[in-house]
Every structure is written in structure tokens, then in C-alpha cells.
Amino acid sequence: MTDIIAKDSNGAELKDGDSVTLIKDLKVKGTSETLKRGTLVKNIRLTGKAGEIECSTKQVRGLVLKTEFLKKA
């Protein structure tokens, strides 16, 4: 099995436990919440997919975000 490398919008490699910042306002499906640009998300977890990470914010728990909308903090 090859290791999947997740990269942010700038091409920086992401690892478990990193902090990231949103670069775009994102609407969360299934809720009325919108995560604003500049929101800091701490302690991310990598999924088995290269373009996705798991995280939790103050508003939403168990969130999966696409790495194209993130930059490493």
C-alpha cells in the first residue's frame, strides 16, 4: 500500500494534528452553518483520500473538508 499525501491549496504537505485555515467561505451540507474564510481548524486527521481531511470546529463536529479550500497555518 502506498502512502497517500494530502496537500493544501499551496502545495504544502498536511499531516495528522496540523492546523489549517479556510481560504473560502464554505456552506456545511445538512446544516444552516457557514464556515467563514480565515477560520482556524486545529488538529486535523487525514482520511484515506488524498483530497480530504477530517476535522471538528466549534460549530460542527465530524466534518470532512476538501484540501483545495485549505492552507496550512
Side-chain angles (χ1 to χ4, degrees), residues 5-14 50-51 67-68 70:
I5 299 173
K7 294 189 176 187
D8 70 0
S9 60
N10 296 328
E13 188 175 336
L14 298 172
T67 58
E68 64 193 70
L70 308 171

Side-chain angles (χ1 to χ4, degrees), residues 1-8 12-16 44-55 63-68 70:
M1 181 178 141
T2 59
D3 288 331
I4 296 174
I5 299 173
K7 294 189 176 187
D8 70 0
E13 188 175 336
L14 298 172
K15 298 186 186 316
D16 282 339
I44 65 168
R45 294 172 305 282
L46 300 179
T47 63
K49 299 179 183 177
E52 295 179 351
I53 57 121
E54 290 181 16
C55 62
L63 194 59
V64 175
L65 296 176
K66 293 193 175 262
T67 58
E68 64 193 70
L70 308 171

Side-chain angles (χ1 to χ4, degrees), residues 9-73:
S9 60
N10 296 328
E13 188 175 336
L14 298 172
K15 298 186 186 316
D16 282 339
D18 282 349
S19 294
V20 294
T21 304
L22 298 179
I23 61 169
K24 179 181 176 181
D25 288 355
L26 299 175
K27 290 190 177 205
V28 181
K29 287 184 180 179
T31 70
S32 60
E33 293 291 330
T34 299
L35 298 175
K36 299 291 185 187
R37 189 177 113 214
T39 301
L40 181 66
V41 180
K42 297 179 182 179
N43 200 18
I44 65 168
R45 294 172 305 282
L46 300 179
T47 63
K49 299 179 183 177
E52 295 179 351
I53 57 121
E54 290 181 16
C55 62
S56 293
T57 63
K58 291 179 184 176
Q59 299 93 343
V60 184
R61 301 280 180 234
L63 194 59
V64 175
L65 296 176
K66 293 193 175 262
T67 58
E68 64 193 70
F69 303 121
L70 308 171
K71 72 175 182 179
K72 194 169 182 177

